[in-house]
Amino acid sequence: NERNLKRFNNISLAAKSLNNIYDALVHLSFNLDKPGKKELIDLNLLTTQRLNYFSPFFAKRGLEIDTSLKPSLINADLGDVSKILDNLLSNASKYAAPNSKVRITLEPNFFSISNIGRGISKEDQMKIFDRYTRFNDDQGGFGIGLNLVKSCCIKNGIEVKCQSKLGKETTFSLFWKD
């Protein structure tokens, strides 16, 4: 029935969340120190796959996904790039205002994800990539996701930037060279 289906969907999302947290912890603990296996990655395809995976999280919060995905390749470690996308998509779904829009742009040598929510103060933006750093207690998490993003970016020669204003849009951007 409808009630049990809703419960099942909530359990399914919780299981996916736990799996993502576990994967992030394992990656942070065991994979970052190992040399990555660089390969040419079709970021358009990978982004589409990760968006499909996270679509139930976006749907649960009533978020509209606005994408502009152009062909883009990157020579990097697939596991690292997947963790970068997963954490940025997860954060966008958690911290966007309900029933708002998340904008994702992919171009050659550039990726960005933006949402409208609480925003991040200038002071907090200076610490956002520090391990165990969290700025609210209502969304869960351990403060490792953005540290993992930064670590994976450094390992693969990707520059990551955060731009945000309180109560306005927050954008995370990635830049890399061929």
PDB file of all heavy atoms in Angstrom, residues 164-177:
ATOM      1  N   SER A 164      29.929  31.627  -2.466  1.00  0.00           N
ATOM      2  CA  SER A 164      28.631  31.614  -1.811  1.00  0.00           C
ATOM      3  C   SER A 164      28.374  32.933  -1.098  1.00  0.00           C
ATOM      4  O   SER A 164      29.312  33.622  -0.680  1.00  0.00           O
ATOM      5  CB  SER A 164      28.576  30.464  -0.791  1.00  0.00           C
ATOM      6  OG  SER A 164      27.314  30.380  -0.202  1.00  0.00           O
ATOM      7  N   LYS A 165      27.092  33.246  -0.968  1.00  0.00           N
ATOM      8  CA  LYS A 165      26.649  34.374  -0.158  1.00  0.00           C
ATOM      9  C   LYS A 165      25.521  33.878   0.720  1.00  0.00           C
ATOM     10  O   LYS A 165      24.677  33.086   0.282  1.00  0.00           O
ATOM     11  CB  LYS A 165      26.161  35.525  -1.037  1.00  0.00           C
ATOM     12  CG  LYS A 165      27.265  36.199  -1.808  1.00  0.00           C
ATOM     13  CD  LYS A 165      26.763  37.402  -2.548  1.00  0.00           C
ATOM     14  CE  LYS A 165      27.925  38.034  -3.292  1.00  0.00           C
ATOM     15  NZ  LYS A 165      27.502  39.090  -4.178  1.00  0.00           N
ATOM     16  N   LEU A 166      25.497  34.344   1.954  1.00  0.00           N
ATOM     17  CA  LEU A 166      24.463  33.906   2.889  1.00  0.00           C
ATOM     18  C   LEU A 166      23.070  34.179   2.319  1.00  0.00           C
ATOM     19  O   LEU A 166      22.802  35.265   1.823  1.00  0.00           O
ATOM     20  CB  LEU A 166      24.634  34.583   4.249  1.00  0.00           C
ATOM     21  CG  LEU A 166      25.842  34.105   5.060  1.00  0.00           C
ATOM     22  CD1 LEU A 166      25.999  34.937   6.324  1.00  0.00           C
ATOM     23  CD2 LEU A 166      25.701  32.632   5.402  1.00  0.00           C
ATOM     24  N   GLY A 167      22.219  33.165   2.368  1.00  0.00           N
ATOM     25  CA  GLY A 167      20.850  33.290   1.884  1.00  0.00           C
ATOM     26  C   GLY A 167      20.729  33.330   0.372  1.00  0.00           C
ATOM     27  O   GLY A 167      19.650  33.568  -0.165  1.00  0.00           O
ATOM     28  N   LYS A 168      21.826  33.089  -0.318  1.00  0.00           N
ATOM     29  CA  LYS A 168      21.841  33.163  -1.780  1.00  0.00           C
ATOM     30  C   LYS A 168      22.395  31.865  -2.348  1.00  0.00           C
ATOM     31  O   LYS A 168      22.450  30.844  -1.696  1.00  0.00           O
ATOM     32  CB  LYS A 168      22.709  34.338  -2.236  1.00  0.00           C
ATOM     33  CG  LYS A 168      22.314  35.672  -1.666  1.00  0.00           C
ATOM     34  CD  LYS A 168      21.278  36.321  -2.506  1.00  0.00           C
ATOM     35  CE  LYS A 168      20.987  37.701  -1.894  1.00  0.00           C
ATOM     36  NZ  LYS A 168      19.903  38.341  -2.515  1.00  0.00           N
ATOM     37  N   GLU A 169      22.887  31.961  -3.566  1.00  0.00           N
ATOM     38  CA  GLU A 169      23.398  30.803  -4.288  1.00  0.00           C
ATOM     39  C   GLU A 169      24.793  30.389  -3.808  1.00  0.00           C
ATOM     40  O   GLU A 169      25.621  31.228  -3.498  1.00  0.00           O
ATOM     41  CB  GLU A 169      23.451  31.137  -5.780  1.00  0.00           C
ATOM     42  CG  GLU A 169      23.789  29.964  -6.658  1.00  0.00           C
ATOM     43  CD  GLU A 169      23.660  30.314  -8.121  1.00  0.00           C
ATOM     44  OE1 GLU A 169      24.523  31.044  -8.627  1.00  0.00           O
ATOM     45  OE2 GLU A 169      22.688  29.851  -8.745  1.00  0.00           O
ATOM     46  N   THR A 170      24.997  29.077  -3.755  1.00  0.00           N
ATOM     47  CA  THR A 170      26.321  28.505  -3.489  1.00  0.00           C
ATOM     48  C   THR A 170      26.732  27.724  -4.722  1.00  0.00           C
ATOM     49  O   THR A 170      25.950  26.940  -5.254  1.00  0.00           O
ATOM     50  CB  THR A 170      26.283  27.569  -2.264  1.00  0.00           C
ATOM     51  OG1 THR A 170      25.920  28.322  -1.107  1.00  0.00           O
ATOM     52  CG2 THR A 170      27.637  26.904  -2.042  1.00  0.00           C
ATOM     53  N   THR A 171      27.962  27.950  -5.174  1.00  0.00           N
ATOM     54  CA  THR A 171      28.474  27.273  -6.357  1.00  0.00           C
ATOM     55  C   THR A 171      29.827  26.651  -6.051  1.00  0.00           C
ATOM     56  O   THR A 171      30.714  27.323  -5.517  1.00  0.00           O
ATOM     57  CB  THR A 171      28.631  28.246  -7.546  1.00  0.00           C
ATOM     58  OG1 THR A 171      27.358  28.814  -7.846  1.00  0.00           O
ATOM     59  CG2 THR A 171      29.182  27.542  -8.776  1.00  0.00           C
ATOM     60  N   PHE A 172      29.949  25.379  -6.393  1.00  0.00           N
ATOM     61  CA  PHE A 172      31.237  24.711  -6.365  1.00  0.00           C
ATOM     62  C   PHE A 172      31.655  24.507  -7.807  1.00  0.00           C
ATOM     63  O   PHE A 172      30.894  24.005  -8.617  1.00  0.00           O
ATOM     64  CB  PHE A 172      31.155  23.359  -5.634  1.00  0.00           C
ATOM     65  CG  PHE A 172      31.089  23.511  -4.149  1.00  0.00           C
ATOM     66  CD1 PHE A 172      29.882  23.641  -3.498  1.00  0.00           C
ATOM     67  CD2 PHE A 172      32.262  23.533  -3.387  1.00  0.00           C
ATOM     68  CE1 PHE A 172      29.829  23.800  -2.124  1.00  0.00           C
ATOM     69  CE2 PHE A 172      32.212  23.691  -2.026  1.00  0.00           C
ATOM     70  CZ  PHE A 172      30.988  23.830  -1.379  1.00  0.00           C
ATOM     71  N   SER A 173      32.897  24.926  -8.125  1.00  0.00           N
ATOM     72  CA  SER A 173      33.410  24.848  -9.488  1.00  0.00           C
ATOM     73  C   SER A 173      34.693  24.046  -9.505  1.00  0.00           C
ATOM     74  O   SER A 173      35.523  24.154  -8.591  1.00  0.00           O
ATOM     75  CB  SER A 173      33.690  26.254 -10.042  1.00  0.00           C
ATOM     76  OG  SER A 173      32.525  27.029 -10.032  1.00  0.00           O
ATOM     77  N   LEU A 174      34.846  23.261 -10.565  1.00  0.00           N
ATOM     78  CA  LEU A 174      36.056  22.481 -10.795  1.00  0.00           C
ATOM     79  C   LEU A 174      36.682  22.930 -12.117  1.00  0.00           C
ATOM     80  O   LEU A 174      35.975  23.130 -13.103  1.00  0.00           O
ATOM     81  CB  LEU A 174      35.733  20.992 -10.891  1.00  0.00           C
ATOM     82  CG  LEU A 174      34.965  20.360  -9.742  1.00  0.00           C
ATOM     83  CD1 LEU A 174      34.620  18.918 -10.079  1.00  0.00           C
ATOM     84  CD2 LEU A 174      35.767  20.430  -8.451  1.00  0.00           C
ATOM     85  N   PHE A 175      38.020  23.069 -12.118  1.00  0.00           N
ATOM     86  CA  PHE A 175      38.767  23.464 -13.307  1.00  0.00           C
ATOM     87  C   PHE A 175      39.955  22.495 -13.451  1.00  0.00           C
ATOM     88  O   PHE A 175      40.593  22.156 -12.463  1.00  0.00           O
ATOM     89  CB  PHE A 175      39.341  24.879 -13.165  1.00  0.00           C
ATOM     90  CG  PHE A 175      38.330  25.916 -12.774  1.00  0.00           C
ATOM     91  CD1 PHE A 175      38.033  26.167 -11.437  1.00  0.00           C
ATOM     92  CD2 PHE A 175      37.685  26.657 -13.755  1.00  0.00           C
ATOM     93  CE1 PHE A 175      37.114  27.127 -11.085  1.00  0.00           C
ATOM     94  CE2 PHE A 175      36.761  27.622 -13.403  1.00  0.00           C
ATOM     95  CZ  PHE A 175      36.471  27.859 -12.062  1.00  0.00           C
ATOM     96  N   TRP A 176      40.264  22.100 -14.666  1.00  0.00           N
ATOM     97  CA  TRP A 176      41.406  21.251 -14.917  1.00  0.00           C
ATOM     98  C   TRP A 176      41.957  21.501 -16.302  1.00  0.00           C
ATOM     99  O   TRP A 176      41.294  22.096 -17.143  1.00  0.00           O
ATOM    100  CB  TRP A 176      41.062  19.759 -14.734  1.00  0.00           C
ATOM    101  CG  TRP A 176      40.032  19.262 -15.696  1.00  0.00           C
ATOM    102  CD1 TRP A 176      40.262  18.656 -16.903  1.00  0.00           C
ATOM    103  CD2 TRP A 176      38.608  19.350 -15.567  1.00  0.00           C
ATOM    104  NE1 TRP A 176      39.078  18.349 -17.515  1.00  0.00           N
ATOM    105  CE2 TRP A 176      38.032  18.775 -16.711  1.00  0.00           C
ATOM    106  CE3 TRP A 176      37.760  19.865 -14.589  1.00  0.00           C
ATOM    107  CZ2 TRP A 176      36.673  18.695 -16.907  1.00  0.00           C
ATOM    108  CZ3 TRP A 176      36.391  19.791 -14.786  1.00  0.00           C
ATOM    109  CH2 TRP A 176      35.865  19.207 -15.930  1.00  0.00           C
ATOM    110  N   LYS A 177      43.188  21.047 -16.515  1.00  0.00           N
ATOM    111  CA  LYS A 177      43.827  21.194 -17.830  1.00  0.00           C
ATOM    112  C   LYS A 177      43.864  19.837 -18.494  1.00  0.00           C
ATOM    113  O   LYS A 177      43.826  18.797 -17.834  1.00  0.00           O
ATOM    114  CB  LYS A 177      45.254  21.721 -17.645  1.00  0.00           C
ATOM    115  CG  LYS A 177      45.266  23.126 -17.092  1.00  0.00           C
ATOM    116  CD  LYS A 177      46.664  23.646 -16.912  1.00  0.00           C
ATOM    117  CE  LYS A 177      46.578  25.041 -16.316  1.00  0.00           C
ATOM    118  NZ  LYS A 177      47.839  25.622 -16.021  1.00  0.00           N
TER     119      LYS A 177
END
